[in-house]
Amino acid sequence: MKAIRSNGSPARSLIAALALSALVGCQTVRTTESGVVGVDRPQRMSTLVSSEKFNQDAAGAYQKVLGDAAKKGQLNLDRGQVERVRSIARRLVPSTVVFRRDAARWGWEINVITSNEVNAWCMPGGKIAVYTGLIAKLSPTDDELAAVMGHEIAHALREHSREQYSQAVAQGILIDILGAATGASTSAQNTSQLFLELFVNRPHSRTDETEADRIGVELAARSGFDPRAAVTLWKKMGKLGGDKPPEWLSTHPSDQSRVRDLQVYSERVLPLYEETQRKR
Ligand SMILES: [Zn+2]
């Protein structure tokens, strides 16, 4: 839950906070097991939208993206590329059960979209897209591609989007409460604009990025990909310049602290990777 905005007295803030918790059904959940990387932050989720409903909506949005890409002749054009990305996903997905068992039953889908954008994402419920721009401009090794996909999958496992939505709902209602309390005018339109701003336009938080980085390297290591590739990929990306950075390389956390964190956590999960190599 976000900090309460207050333009009144502490007492008024307290009343607003109590009203908020009464009105907005929120519960504290653990979306994932903590893994070797130890991601264990409790999350506040709205009870208004369940995981299942959220994943269903995401699946609908995913079909729309694929349909639009297909119409423009931009879907899965290069069979070799599609097979490469899918085979990496086939190795990563079984490792997701370490973090959450139900992920094994998700309707995982992996598709390649033709676009100059250096980008990749995983929608809630396991709907993945990799853009050809990422492959063309970074020439990633399989380990590096696994680093990107592991990071995106981690966002989905942690349900970061539903968490953002929960915060947006809470804030939207909170603005109304404060408006009523202070006599300020608020309208439904303002609230929906706020919602759009928070949910659709807001990038992942620094905390979410760090969690996805850490879980991502563990997923890669457990799946037999060298987790240190997350660091080399970051460095390649830094040399690109010019282009808008993909979601997973968004400007926060800062480049340096991110690389340091990735170095620490990729070393921590290295024994998991080495174990997979001994079994080969
Ligand atoms: Zn990310």
Side-chain angles (χ1 to χ4, degrees):
M1 212 58 60
K2 304 285 279 190
I4 288 169
R5 288 185 199 178
S6 171
N7 49 6
S9 66
R12 184 175 284 160
S13 297
L14 180 63
I15 291 166
L18 291 174
L20 172 70
S21 51
L23 278 176
V24 182
C26 255
Q27 57 189 8
T28 302
V29 299
R30 282 191 69 180
T31 54
T32 52
E33 299 298 322
S34 50
V36 166
V37 291
V39 171
D40 57 4
R41 178 180 60 87
Q43 294 165 279
R44 296 285 289 163
M45 294 288 188
S46 167
T47 52
L48 296 176
V49 178
S50 66
S51 283
E52 292 71 24
K53 175 77 172 75
F54 210 79
N55 291 358
Q56 232 172 44
D57 290 350
Y62 188 66
Q63 287 312 316
K64 168 111 178 57
V65 171
L66 295 188
D68 289 349
K71 261 185 239 159
K72 292 187 218 154
Q74 296 172 340
L75 183 65
N76 297 332
L77 291 190
D78 180 333
R79 287 186 72 86
Q81 234 169 27
V82 174
E83 186 41 45
R84 181 184 178 208
V85 169
R86 286 185 178 164
S87 72
I88 291 171
R90 270 197 295 274
R91 284 168 60 186
L92 287 170
V93 167
S95 302
T96 60
V97 297
V98 169
F99 291 97
R100 53 184 299 167
R101 284 189 179 184
D102 67 330
R105 296 190 300 274
W106 284 1
W108 293 89
E109 279 189 65
I110 301 94
N111 290 286
V112 176
I113 292 173
T114 305
S115 161
N116 285 330
E117 237 181 283
V118 180
N119 204 1
W121 41 258
C122 178
M123 282 185 181
K127 308 295 189 190
I128 300 171
V130 175
Y131 290 22
T132 53
L134 186 144
I135 299 169
K137 291 181 189 169
L138 294 180
S139 305
T141 62
D142 282 359
D143 293 324
E144 288 168 341
L145 206 43
V148 176
M149 291 166 71
H151 172 98
E152 296 305 330
I153 288 170
H155 277 307
L157 297 176
R158 289 286 290 159
E159 298 188 57
H160 284 149
S161 296
R162 191 161 76 95
E163 194 180 4
Q164 279 192 321
Y165 169 86
S166 301
Q167 290 169 349
V169 167
Q171 283 193 331
I173 291 175
L174 181 61
I175 298 298
D176 279 347
I177 293 169
L178 289 180
T182 59
S185 66
T186 56
S187 67
Q189 197 188 355
N190 284 343
T191 306
S192 71
Q193 273 170 356
L194 180 76
F195 175 84
L196 278 176
E197 189 52 41
L198 290 172
F199 180 53
V200 179
N201 300 330
R202 188 169 63 167
H204 284 296
S205 70
R206 184 186 179 123
T207 302
D208 289 358
E209 288 306 320
T210 304
E211 288 181 355
D213 277 348
R214 292 176 184 179
I215 291 176
V217 291
E218 182 164 341
L219 285 174
R222 286 183 182 279
S223 311
F225 296 104
D226 189 334
R228 294 166 295 191
V231 177
T232 59
L233 183 72
W234 171 271
K235 288 179 177 164
K236 269 189 189 177
M237 189 63 212
K239 286 183 191 146
L240 263 189
D243 289 291
K244 184 169 158 273
E247 181 282 320
W248 83 281
L249 288 173
S250 57
T251 51
H252 49 94
S254 73
D255 293 14
Q256 276 195 347
S257 69
R258 188 168 204 168
V259 166
R260 268 201 305 275
D261 198 70
L262 280 170
Q263 277 166 339
V264 168
Y265 281 83
S266 59
E267 287 299 328
R268 187 177 291 186
V269 298
L270 199 56
L272 296 171
Y273 167 64
E274 289 165 345
E275 204 181 311
T276 66
Q277 298 309 292
R278 275 196 295 274
K279 284 181 188 162
R280 287 179 76 175

